[in-house]
């Protein structure tokens, strides 16, 4: 039971991280010091997409599910399991990634404009 709770909590944290990755730059418009946290999150997002590095949250969820007697996450990872093919068709992956990048860059541009005032 404890392992399953750990796996579920890790899944929720992973979704929260992805939400923060997409929208956290806009939080810096109101709370400027949070930009540093978002830069770290965005940096990790870029590294994981470009290099294919495994996210520690994916590994933790997989570990928790296996120890709870459930099937672990597939080797393709969290996004492929929960988002691609579920939220949007897999053939739009590149479009979604570019849209996310533009959204983050827009949030940073807005942050810079607000900081210069």
């Amino acid at each position: 039971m404890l392992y399953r709770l750990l796996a579920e909590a890790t899944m929720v944290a992973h979704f929260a991280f992805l939400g923060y990755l997409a929208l956290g730059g806009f939080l810096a418009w109101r709370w400027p010091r949070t930009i540093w946290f978002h830069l770290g999150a965005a940096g990790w997002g870029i590294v994981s997409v470009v290099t294919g590095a495994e996210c520690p949250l994916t590994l933790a969820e997989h570990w928790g599910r296996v120890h709870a007697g459930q099937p672990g996450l597939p080797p393709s990872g969290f996004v492929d399991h929960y988002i691609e093919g579920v939220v949007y068709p897999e053939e739009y992956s590149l479009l979604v990634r570019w849209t996310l990048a533009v959204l983050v860059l827009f949030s940073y541009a807005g942050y810079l404009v607000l900081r210069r005032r």
Side-chain angles (χ1 to χ4, degrees), residues 73-90:
L73 288 177
S76 56
F78 180 87
V79 172
D80 289 342
H81 182 71
Y82 290 111
I83 299 174
E84 284 182 359
V86 178
V87 177
Y88 59 86
E90 289 181 39

Side-chain angles (χ1 to χ4, degrees), residues 11-26:
M11 177 189 63
V12 170
H14 213 155
F15 273 112
F17 176 80
L18 291 177
Y20 181 70
L21 181 61
L23 303 172
F26 294 104

Side-chain angles (χ1 to χ4, degrees), residues 19-32 34-35 38 99-100 102-111 114:
Y20 181 70
L21 181 61
L23 303 172
F26 294 104
L27 290 176
W29 291 15
R30 174 71 175 99
W31 297 287
T34 64
I35 195 68
H38 194 265
T99 302
L100 179 62
V102 168
L103 184 67
V104 169
L105 290 174
F106 178 77
S107 73
Y108 288 172
Y111 169 81
L114 290 171

Side-chain angles (χ1 to χ4, degrees), residues 110-117:
Y111 169 81
L112 290 174
V113 167
L114 290 171
R115 296 303 337 141
R116 291 183 188 259
R117 288 187 186 178

